[in-house]
Amino acid sequence: LSPINDLMSPYRTQLDQYPSETPEDYFNELLTKARAENSIIAETRLLMGLYRLGVELAPRQAFDSALIQTLTPRAILYVADYERNKRLSFAEEAWNLILNKYPTDDAVIVAYMRLADVSAEKGDLPRALDYLEQIITKFPGSPKAPAVMLRQGELLSEMNRGDQAREKYQYILRVPEWRGVLHARALYQIGQSYMAESAYAEAHGFFERTFLGYPHLAEWSARAYLADADALLGMDAKQDAINTLKEASQELSANAPEDILLSIKAKLKELQG
């Protein structure tokens, strides 16, 4: 291995210097030091690290507008996420600060998505849709683009604009690089868009394509089986719905979400009862 010693040396050095404690203990130790030194920015960054580990601690002093002006885009996102269920207006101020102060940073994508979610929760679907369209327009090459399109499709369906929703989904299906979960979700959501219009036969076709084409994707296969039973019932094909649920019980792996498996079994029992 001597020929690669020069390449391996930095990695060995980094490994030797890697902290022995857990990340949570490491961040907590540094947080104590930051607070002792009254370093608000360092405290915020360490609170962010703990938050990403699932540990939510309150800052010594409430976050304010002056502080977020001094933070990096990622730290501002943390502050907004922390405050979302506490002070929503302040969270919105933080997301909008990112849009205005760091318009080319990738954090803008997350800010737009958060603002879209909040707008949808308030019932303002057109505004939510506009926020998402800003991502597609300003960051067309982002790897988050297909997820944004899927969300756009959901909103369009809620707005009774099923044809436009399906245009988003069909675009995803035309991109070979997005095969896998993204294609499975697009097929499933096309089915859901038809269900919203009571077009049960069309919905049935797309649900079938989901669980037949992606049986290895346990979650989306399970969702498609369950939704397909409803589509078949809408077509007055009760026995076919029972057969579909029986097939789901046999074919789905243990990796499928437990709540969906329980719903499939409950639905089958109801139809057979």
Side-chain angles (χ1 to χ4, degrees), residues 34 50 77 80 116 158 160 189 196 198-199 225 260:
L50 288 165
L77 286 178
E158 289 184 49
N160 298 315
Q189 289 182 211
S198 300
Y225 269 119
I260 304 178

Side-chain angles (χ1 to χ4, degrees), residues 18 22 31 50 73 106 110 121 123 127 150-151 177 212 244 249:
Y18 195 81
T22 67
L31 177 62
L50 288 165
D106 283 351
V110 179
E121 289 166 5
R127 170 167 282 194
L150 287 168
R151 182 63 179 138
E177 292 79 5
L212 291 177
T244 292
S249 299

